[in-house]
Each structure stands twice: as C-alpha cells, then as structure tokens.
C-alpha cells in the first residue's frame, strides 16, 4: 500500500532578507520557528486531518509568534492601532472566508474560517468583523495584547521619516517583547501564510497579516482578498502570497497561478515563476508565493532577496529556507 500523500508549505514573509542583515541567533530563531510551524501542520496531516485544519493550526502558531507580522507581531497603523487581516479557502468546495481591519481577535485566521463556515458571507471588515467575532465565540484579545515595543518604535521612525504626527502611545498593560533582540524588520512585506494538501486529496490555503507600518485611511492589502493573496482549488492548487499587496490585487496573483495550472497545464513551479518572475516583476511589484497541488507538487517563487519559508511532505523531509541561494 502506498503512503498517503500529504504536503504543507509555510511562509513568514518576503522582503530584503540577506545573510548580512541577520545575525546568527536571528537566523536560528526564524529557522526554528518556521520548522516548528511546518511540523505542527504536518502532524495534523500525518494523522489524517484536513488541509483546512492544518492551515488554521499552523497559522495560529505564526499569529502567536512576535517574530512575524501577524497577530501578536503585527505592525501599527498611522493612528497607532493594530489592524489585522486574514483569509482562508477550501479547495474542495471553493468556500472562503476573510476579515480585514479587526482589532480584538487573537487569531484572525480562525475568525476568517468562522466567516466561511458560520456566515453566508466571504469578507467582513472593521467593527462589523469584530462584532461577528465576539458573537460567534472566537477567542477575543484586548488591543493591548498585540502591542510590541519594536513595532511601536518602527511606527515612530516611520512617522518621523514621512513627516507624520506620532500618535499617542496606546494605553493598557503591554507585555514584554521576548523576541525584540531576535526579530528582523522585513520591511513592508510582512505576512504569514500556509498551504496544505491532505490525505483525501484536498488542498487549502490561508494568509494572515498586520498590514504595513503606518498604513492610513483603512488601507487593505491582498492578504484578505480571495484570488489575490489567497486561493485554493482542487482543480489546480492552493496559493498564499506575501508582498506589496496593491500589485498582487491588480494581478489577482493567487488565482492567476491556479488558472495557469488548470487551463494551461503548466507545472506548479512554472506557473508560479511566470506570474512572480515575469508578470509581477514587469508591473513593478515585489513579493512571493508558496503553493501546493493535489498531486503533491510544492512550489515557491519570489522576486525579493529573501523569503522565510518551509515545506514538509509525506515523502520528503523538512526544508527550511530564507535566502535566494537556498532551495
């Protein structure tokens, strides 16, 4: 009997990530975190769990890790708030859920799944999304939970550099930032995402982010936009993106990759490279994606100097990579 086929890939954001920028202890921290997340998602799949469960479980860990720009490690908006976005999609049914601008949900990815499974909608935003979160019993968190000192300092520096007023420091009890000395500023590309294939042959994708430092006017990027930052279809693949969201939205990057696989018959890697290396680059956008197909293919592609990433499969060992010259 053949071994059941499952696979998972994880990203923790793309950007200006080079060896000279990370101290050895920083690099080790990111590699360990990515490995833990991939292994945790892999454990769900190995036990016969669904791709959706693996995606949610893995992203929840990333949202709890201040190393990454999602959940507990989210950046601040220009007004000094943490506004969180997330989305999830089921490749078996094309069901999807997403939230944007939430401020009181500990795990936005779980709220996105609740929108998918417990409402008739796909995307909820702002105060309405927060109200739905509380109404359906998704774990809540006081906004002060998301405060980290290094992200606040990044906002102060951003505001001064762009001649913007520095907002009042948020009130409330601020927990210590245990990874302050280890975290690396990934710039404006901070996002986390997971794609998975389960033993039933279903794929799923999810993405979560705190957005961009100093964002204004309720800006929303690609992470909660189905077809741009997240897409999954058993007819093609599952994709999660990270990068300059406005370009990913304009190209519909995640869906574009899936369409090339489904309708043009491209391999997963070829489709990813065509969209990221050619189309996105030509438009002037930057970032990357991870993807998995129902036949077990795993791919990633990015046009930045680095991307935090990891993969694991039933027939392949854990791979954790950061830099451009790594597999």
């Amino acid at each position: 009997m053949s071994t059941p086929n499952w696979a998972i890939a994880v990203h923790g954001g793309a950007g200006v990530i080079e060896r000279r920028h990370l101290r050895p202890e920083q690099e080790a921290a990111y590699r360990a975190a990515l490995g833990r997340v991939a292994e945790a998602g892999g454990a769900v799949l190995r036990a016969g769990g669904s791709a959706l469960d693996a995606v949610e479980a893995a992203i929840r860990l990333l949202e709890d890790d201040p190393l990454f720009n999602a959940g507990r490690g989210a950046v601040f908006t220009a007004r000094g708030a943490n506004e969180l976005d997330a989305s999830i999609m089921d490749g078996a049914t094309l069901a999807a859920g997403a939230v944007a601008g939430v401020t009181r949900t500990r795990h936005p990815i779980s709220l996105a799944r609740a929108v998918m499974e417990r409402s008739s909608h796909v995307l909820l935003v702002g105060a309405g999304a927060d109200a739905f979160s509380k109404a359906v019993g998704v774990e809540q968190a006081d906004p002060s939970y998301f405060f980290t000192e290094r992200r606040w300092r990044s906002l102060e520096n951003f505001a001064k550099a762009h001649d913007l007023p520095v907002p009042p420091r948020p009130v409330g009890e601020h927990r210590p930032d245990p990874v302050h000395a280890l975290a690396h500023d990934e710039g404006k590309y901070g996002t986390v995402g997971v794609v998975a294939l389960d033993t039933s042959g279903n794929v799923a994708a999810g993405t979560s982010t705190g957005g961009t430092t100093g964002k204004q006017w309720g800006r929303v990027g690609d992470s909660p936009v189905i077809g741009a930052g997240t897409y999954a279809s058993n007819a093609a693949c599952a994709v999660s993106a990270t990068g300059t969201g406005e370009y990913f939205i304009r190209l519909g990057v995640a869906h574009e990759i899936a369409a090339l696989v489904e309708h043009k018959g491209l391999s997963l890697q070829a489709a990813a490279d065509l969209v990221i290396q050619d189309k996105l680059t030509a438009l002037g956008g930057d970032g990357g994606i991870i993807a998995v197909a129902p036949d077990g293919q795993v791919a990633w592609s990015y046009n930045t100097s680095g991307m935090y990433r990891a993969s694991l499969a039933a027939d392949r060992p854990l791979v954790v990579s950061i830099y451009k010259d790594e597999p």
Side-chain angles (χ1 to χ4, degrees):
M1 180 180 293
S2 61
T3 303
N5 194 29
W6 58 264
I8 187 169
V10 175
H11 75 72
V16 182
I17 308 168
E18 301 174 3
R19 281 188 172 84
R20 60 192 176 91
H21 293 146
L22 269 69
R23 301 189 309 277
E25 61 270 26
Q26 289 180 299
E27 180 177 325
Y30 278 97
R31 290 188 188 275
L34 292 165
R36 283 194 302 269
V37 171
E39 293 281 10
V44 174
L45 299 169
R46 190 180 292 112
S50 71
L52 276 171
D53 286 346
V55 165
E56 181 184 8
I59 291 180
R60 284 170 64 95
L61 292 177
L62 289 162
E63 289 173 338
D64 281 343
D65 192 332
L67 284 174
F68 302 100
N69 178 18
R72 182 75 172 85
V75 300
F76 285 91
T77 68
R79 66 184 183 88
N82 303 110
E83 296 181 358
L84 314 175
D85 307 335
S87 61
I88 195 167
M89 187 165 185
D90 181 359
T93 63
L94 301 187
V99 294
V102 299
T103 60
R104 294 181 173 273
T105 297
R106 177 174 175 178
H107 294 115
I109 193 65
S110 294
L111 179 54
R113 186 167 181 179
V115 172
M116 178 179 72
E117 296 180 339
R118 303 175 67 180
S119 83
S120 59
H121 309 301
V122 170
L123 175 61
L124 299 182
V125 303
D130 278 328
F132 175 79
S133 178
K134 186 174 182 179
V136 299
V138 175
E139 184 179 1
Q140 302 292 286
D142 186 85
S144 64
Y145 168 79
F146 302 106
F147 182 99
T148 56
E149 188 64 37
R150 79 180 173 94
R151 294 300 195 188
W152 184 255
R153 291 179 183 175
S154 291
L155 174 62
E156 291 178 328
N157 293 335
F158 177 91
K160 293 171 183 176
H162 291 80
D163 198 25
L164 296 172
V166 176
R169 187 182 177 94
V171 297
E173 293 297 325
H174 303 145
R175 300 183 182 186
D177 185 353
V179 301
H180 176 74
L182 297 174
H184 171 254
D185 187 357
E186 71 289 291
K188 59 184 177 180
Y189 312 99
T191 312
V192 303
V194 178
V195 294
L197 164 69
D198 63 33
T199 56
S200 296
N202 298 316
V203 297
T207 310
S208 184
T209 188
T212 59
T213 298
K215 64 183 180 180
Q216 300 186 70
W217 311 299
R219 179 264 185 188
V220 176
D222 65 304
S223 295
V225 178
I226 300 301
T230 303
Y231 192 75
S233 169
N234 281 3
C237 58
V239 181
S240 174
T242 173
T244 308
E246 285 72 12
Y247 293 91
F248 282 74
I249 293 171
R250 290 162 63 190
L251 280 173
V253 162
H255 182 270
E256 181 76 0
I257 292 169
L260 289 168
V261 171
E262 181 178 1
H263 301 299
K264 293 293 187 181
L266 270 64
S267 71
L268 190 59
Q269 189 65 59
D273 286 340
L274 177 59
V275 175
I276 298 300
Q277 306 301 330
D278 295 348
K279 295 186 177 185
L280 180 67
T281 301
L283 195 61
D286 45 12
I289 64 95
I290 54 172
V292 65
D295 64 0
Q297 294 179 73
V298 173
W300 47 52
S301 188
Y302 56 98
N303 65 1
T304 55
S305 61
M307 182 169 75
Y308 298 115
R309 59 202 190 274
S311 69
L312 178 66
D315 59 349
R316 298 186 296 276
L318 175 69
V319 173
V320 180
S321 303
I322 298 176
Y323 307 114
K324 199 77 170 179
D325 59 359
E326 294 182 289

